Amino acid sequence: MVYFQLEVSSIRQCYANPMNFTQLQNFLGFGQSADLDIVFDGAETRKMAEIKTEDGKKEKYLLYYDGETVSGKVNVTLKKPGSKLEHQGIKIELIGQIELYYDRGNHHEFLSLVKELARPGDLIQNSSYPFEFANVEKPYEVYVGSNVRLRYFLRATIVRRLSDIIREVDIAVHTLCSYPEVNSPIKMEVGIEDCLHIEFEYNKSKYHLKDVIVGKIYFLLVRIKIKHMEIAIIKRETTGSGPNTFTENETIAKYEIMDGAPVRGESIPIRVFLAGYDLTPAMREINKKFSVKYFLNLVLMDTEDRRYFKQQEITLWRKAEKSRKSSAAAPNNPHVPSHLVGSDGDIVPKSHHSDAHNSDTSPAPPMDPTVGLFTQESPQNETKPIESPTFPQENDNSESATNDLPLPLDSPDSTEQNP
């Protein structure tokens, strides 16, 4: 009886101390008695990619592309040489899954491959098991956003009766895309009736992640005292569906392209380099869970600190490297991702695109009353329609704007006045 009481007391001490609890698990056969390690073939020469983690840090993972083989070996090392490890089988899985942060309990798997490495039995020495997942279709690119994460990882498991021994290793996946040579520029005339008319033009509607956005702003009519103008790159992430839809806007970059009042006929050049920013390809309806879109946001501020903006969607895509260009650009390549926005090369954006065969001397398209108007930001980030689009005089405090997009750029530092 005394011996039993001592054992119970020792067990209580083990529960109170995590280190002792681990020792107790090992003593009873519940603990992890072996270490698992996953080694990839060609890891020394394979390119690495930086992936942002949930806490904002970046980690490097081995980089794979759609259609590439993932192979290597699983090493099992016994913690006590000469001991015996009883198991119900050893396996390795290649998993692709989407995790929505508001629904962390459910992981949505779009890829699940399993290889059995060993049948049930006993391990009496360190062992190594080769594996190969040949020509794996990886349809989506890894992504870590504000409300969602898409990841690929390998999971090695030693199945046991009470507690499995598991090892997970993430990999990075990039999807490559090739567009037709026809990439129409964006040309559009916008403004506020009888107050401001401008024409903006961007050289393309689709840009690769290392591209340069080139454009110009041309003032046709100026009856508002404009203080400065800026352009921003906005990333819009949409997750969920129906009542559980969440939209997050993030300002990737912001440039001031004009300081001071413009005059009629003045032209402002635009040149934005994308290579220095953390950008991903634009995505649409990834496994019906989330989408990622990018916008160029043109913002004007007048002398009374009222802000007017116009957003134009653009398509971002990942360009194949020279060494992979021939395989990624093949016309019959089955691994060209279909989920990328505009991957079919037939995007019809909200603005007027000039025809690829038109010359630069062609007249600007007529202003569309729906999409050719600026949106004025209010302190509550609401848009209100213009009733009388005239510049306010000293005794006239009226402000107005015309609805454009339901999601204006947040500007907490602006000092706007209530309309």
Side-chain angles (χ1 to χ4, degrees):
M1 178 67 79
V2 175
Y3 177 79
F4 175 76
Q5 290 177 349
L6 289 175
E7 288 298 325
V8 172
S9 175
S10 299
I11 292 175
R12 288 175 179 172
Q13 292 178 5
C14 289
Y15 273 103
N17 190 327
M19 293 294 294
N20 292 338
F21 182 69
T22 302
Q23 296 174 1
L24 174 63
Q25 284 186 315
N26 295 333
F27 174 77
L28 297 177
F30 301 153
Q32 182 170 316
S33 55
D35 289 328
L36 278 174
D37 190 22
I38 301 176
V39 180
F40 294 90
D41 292 339
E44 299 81 6
T45 58
R46 181 168 290 276
K47 186 178 178 181
M48 307 287 286
E50 286 190 345
I51 304 298
K52 185 174 65 174
T53 59
E54 292 185 47
D55 56 2
K57 299 179 181 179
K58 290 187 177 181
E59 295 185 2
K60 289 187 176 181
Y61 300 113
L62 292 175
L63 177 59
Y64 287 85
Y65 295 93
D66 184 22
E68 275 195 315
T69 296
V70 181
S71 61
K73 59 184 178 179
V74 176
N75 295 329
V76 182
T77 305
L78 299 178
K79 288 188 174 181
K80 293 182 179 180
S83 62
K84 182 178 68 172
L85 174 62
E86 182 181 352
H87 64 87
Q88 304 300 314
I90 302 175
K91 64 180 180 179
I92 187 168
E93 303 167 87
L94 175 57
I95 298 175
Q97 72 177 19
I98 298 173
E99 179 184 357
L100 300 173
Y101 294 161
Y102 64 84
D103 188 19
R104 289 184 178 268
N106 295 323
H107 294 163
H108 308 277
E109 295 186 358
F110 57 87
L111 174 65
S112 181
L113 303 175
V114 182
K115 296 285 185 181
E116 298 293 340
L117 302 180
R119 296 181 178 180
D122 297 334
L123 282 179
I124 59 175
Q125 61 182 1
N126 299 339
S127 302
S128 180
Y129 303 93
F131 68 88
E132 181 183 61
F133 296 98
N135 303 324
V136 182
E137 182 179 354
K138 311 173 196 70
Y140 310 128
E141 179 160 328
V142 292
Y143 177 76
V144 178
S146 302
N147 296 312
V148 64
R149 177 174 67 160
L150 188 151
R151 61 188 287 242
Y152 292 84
F153 62 95
L154 282 91
R155 177 193 293 155
T157 306
I158 299 178
V159 182
R160 305 181 68 191
R161 290 184 178 179
L162 296 177
S163 60
D164 296 342
I165 302 176
I166 300 174
R167 167 73 168 165
E168 291 184 356
V169 177
D170 282 70
I171 62 174
V173 172
H174 284 174
T175 56
L176 305 179
C177 196
S178 178
Y179 281 105
E181 294 184 0
V182 176
N183 193 354
S184 301
I186 302 173
K187 191 173 183 180
M188 187 175 184
E189 183 180 339
V190 297
I192 302 173
E193 186 177 357
D194 297 331
C195 294
L196 175 68
H197 286 174
I198 70 172
E199 180 182 87
F200 67 81
E201 182 176 359
Y202 304 119
N203 61 331
K204 292 184 285 187
S205 57
K206 309 178 184 74
Y207 299 89
H208 61 78
L209 300 184
K210 306 297 182 182
D211 214 336
V212 181
I213 299 175
V214 179
K216 65 179 180 179
I217 308 294
Y218 186 74
F219 288 87
L220 304 175
L221 175 65
V222 182
R223 292 180 181 174
I224 294 180
K225 295 181 180 179
I226 298 176
K227 184 166 60 175
H228 78 268
M229 179 168 58
E230 63 187 25
I231 189 171
I233 303 174
I234 308 296
K235 182 177 78 171
R236 180 172 301 167
E237 175 189 294
T238 304
T239 57
S241 60
N244 294 324
T245 300
F246 297 90
T247 300
E248 190 78 22
N249 288 335
E250 179 184 355
T251 301
I252 303 297
K254 183 184 293 186
Y255 291 94
E256 185 177 55
I257 57 177
M258 185 193 71
D259 186 16
V263 296
R264 180 179 179 180
E266 188 168 359
S267 179
I268 308 296
I270 298 174
R271 186 177 294 269
V272 180
F273 294 85
L274 301 180
Y277 299 102
D278 186 15
L279 299 170
T280 66
M283 308 174 186
R284 173 177 291 161
E285 294 297 326
I286 301 300
N287 206 41
K288 298 184 179 179
K289 299 300 179 184
F290 72 96
S291 299
V292 178
K293 297 182 180 181
Y294 288 90
F295 296 85
L296 290 178
N297 193 44
L298 183 65
V299 182
L300 288 81
M301 179 178 291
D302 63 16
T303 55
E304 298 184 11
D305 291 336
R306 292 186 295 252
R307 297 168 64 91
Y308 304 88
F309 73 94
K310 179 66 181 177
Q311 290 188 353
Q312 174 62 47
E313 183 177 356
I314 59 174
T315 299
L316 296 185
W317 54 283
R318 187 176 298 280
K319 184 179 180 180
E321 298 177 1
K322 292 183 179 180
S323 59
R324 301 185 53 86
K325 191 171 183 180
S326 59
S327 62
N332 297 323
N333 182 13
H335 301 299
V336 173
S338 60
H339 64 281
L340 294 177
V341 177
S343 61
D344 55 357
D346 191 19
I347 288 294
V348 182
K350 297 178 182 179
S351 67
H352 297 280
H353 281 204
S354 62
D355 195 301
H357 303 288
N358 289 347
S359 62
D360 294 335
T361 58
S362 60
M367 193 169 82
D368 190 306
T370 301
V371 298
L373 296 169
F374 275 104
T375 299
Q376 178 185 348
E377 292 181 345
S378 67
Q380 295 79 19
N381 289 329
E382 297 176 353
T383 57
K384 299 183 178 181
I386 285 182
E387 296 180 359
S388 177
T390 58
F391 181 75
Q393 304 297 326
E394 294 182 358
N395 297 328
D396 183 9
N397 296 325
S398 63
E399 293 183 13
S400 55
T402 301
N403 285 327
D404 178 11
L405 293 174
L407 293 171
L409 173 63
D410 294 333
S411 180
D413 56 342
S414 63
T415 57
E416 304 139 353
Q417 299 177 358
N418 288 322

